[in-house]
Amino acid sequence: MIRRSILAGAAALALFGLAGCGKPDPGAGGPTTVNFSILAVENAQGLQTEWGPILADMEKATGYKIKPFFQSNYTSLIEAMRFKQTDVAWFSNQSGLEAVRRSNGEVFARTFDPSGADGYKSVLIVPASSKTTLEDVLKCDKSLDFGIGDAKSTSGTLAPMTYLFSPKGIKPERCFKTVRAANHQANLFAVGKGVLDVATNNSTSIRLNRERGESAANQIRVIWESPRLPEDPIVWRKDLDPAVKEKVRQFMLTYGKGTGPDAERQRANLAKLSIGGFLPADNTHLIPVREMEATGALAAAENDKDAAKIAEARKTLEAVRAERAALEAKTGKPAE
């Protein structure tokens, strides 16, 4: 069975908590508050502490009050932007794609890793003391308890389905004894403590755990890695006031850049989140994610032996690949 750790009611409650925020100040002729939503892929309280100095710097640089909204439910963040209850958001790639499709979102920046490696990997993890192998996982004999990510998680769900399970005709709900959806931190701890036999995760989450001196990363081992995935996008509402957009853009693209004590302090703030800084981007940043999505859809259609769905999925995949090829020909570099 599938045990969902996040209930629909939580999403509704989160949205209610944002209602009425981000309203313009009639006297100033524009918004005085920018609602900034942050995907809480781990403990929200810890993220509030780590994002606090960055958001304070954003307030100082832009002149706006920056109101953070931390939520581990990807759908609630997408819906918050859809109903104009949030203005700017740090998303994962899959949830960012949904915000662009459903919530009038637009990518304007992307993160980069402080290590210099551009991108990260989805992984499967098992307890360090376990003898479980990838072959054991792929047996699908319903003997293992499995942890997956949110349905809109790139590394927690989309990547392992695209690159591992779907090509082999594996549907987790039919493969494992139990399937539990949770964020990366919860899955990491659950595997480290032996509560789960295997779970999805990502290389950044594991590295952050180790760098913070926490023990979970030393209690697991990786048995599978995906190809490299694009870094996270920063998305704003298309209809956001252009003046607000420009101030936010300038802040994001200059934060942590340059020399001197202030730049060093800013880079230290970002490093706590395993972010090196921000680079300009647009919706083409999501082309590789769309290709992953289309690849998984084709594999699923082929597994179901549905000729109509196969034809439609193949058409979609070919269109995305053509778009990617055109972009690479134009820029002279691989689509990110």
Side-chain angles (χ1 to χ4, degrees), residues 47-273:
L47 279 179
Q48 288 181 42
T49 300
E50 291 167 347
W51 270 96
I54 299 172
L55 299 180
D57 287 342
M58 190 184 296
E59 284 195 343
K60 182 177 179 181
T62 63
Y64 296 116
K65 179 181 178 181
I66 307 299
K67 186 170 183 177
F69 171 51
F70 296 89
Q71 178 57 241
S72 61
N73 186 318
Y74 291 61
T75 299
S76 71
L77 295 183
I78 295 165
E79 291 299 289
M81 181 164 283
R82 179 185 173 198
F83 289 104
K84 299 185 179 183
Q85 293 167 326
T86 188
D87 306 304
V88 185
W90 172 39
F91 281 113
S92 70
N93 283 292
Q94 176 69 0
S95 57
L97 178 58
E98 287 298 306
V100 168
R101 285 173 169 164
R102 294 165 40 194
S103 306
N104 199 32
E106 181 178 53
V107 176
F108 74 95
R110 47 155 291 200
T111 61
F112 66 86
D113 194 279
S115 70
D118 193 15
Y120 65 108
K121 293 182 178 182
S122 170
V123 299
L124 280 190
I125 58 174
V126 298
S129 59
S130 168
K131 295 182 179 180
T132 302
T133 65
L134 182 58
E135 290 72 22
D136 295 327
V137 173
L138 299 179
K139 285 178 182 177
C140 282
D141 58 5
K142 292 186 176 291
S143 65
L144 302 175
D145 293 312
F146 179 63
I148 198 167
D150 186 283
K152 302 300 181 185
S153 170
T154 307
S155 60
T157 300
L158 179 62
M161 291 303 301
T162 299
Y163 294 120
L164 181 62
F165 294 132
S166 291
K168 299 181 184 299
I170 293 175
K171 296 182 178 181
E173 65 272 20
R174 299 178 184 176
C175 185
F176 301 104
K177 182 167 62 176
T178 61
V179 178
R180 185 179 75 176
N183 65 31
H184 301 309
Q185 186 181 55
N187 280 336
L188 181 63
F189 289 160
V191 172
K193 294 177 180 178
V195 175
L196 291 174
D197 299 305
V198 59
T200 63
N201 218 280
N202 68 55
S203 55
T204 300
S205 179
I206 294 170
R207 187 179 72 246
L208 271 175
N209 184 271
R210 185 171 289 115
E211 289 174 352
R212 291 167 178 164
E214 299 171 357
S215 61
N218 298 321
Q219 296 170 342
I220 59 94
R221 59 186 176 86
V222 174
I223 60 171
W224 173 83
E225 291 184 341
S226 73
R228 195 166 292 279
L229 306 174
E231 294 288 348
D232 295 333
I234 311 297
V235 179
W236 57 29
R237 293 197 339 263
K238 280 185 182 179
D239 60 357
L240 195 60
D241 185 325
V244 176
K245 284 184 175 181
E246 188 54 33
K247 286 188 177 182
V248 171
R249 185 204 306 271
Q250 286 298 317
F251 171 80
M252 300 293 284
L253 299 185
T254 59
Y255 195 74
K257 307 288 177 64
T259 59
D262 205 39
E264 290 292 338
R265 179 188 61 80
Q266 293 170 3
R267 284 192 285 272
N269 289 340
L270 291 168
K272 294 176 182 177
L273 295 161

Side-chain angles (χ1 to χ4, degrees), residues 316-335:
T316 300
L317 178 57
E318 289 172 354
V320 176
R321 285 177 172 170
E323 190 175 345
R324 179 171 186 161
L327 177 65
E328 291 176 347
K330 180 180 179 180
T331 62
K333 60 181 182 179

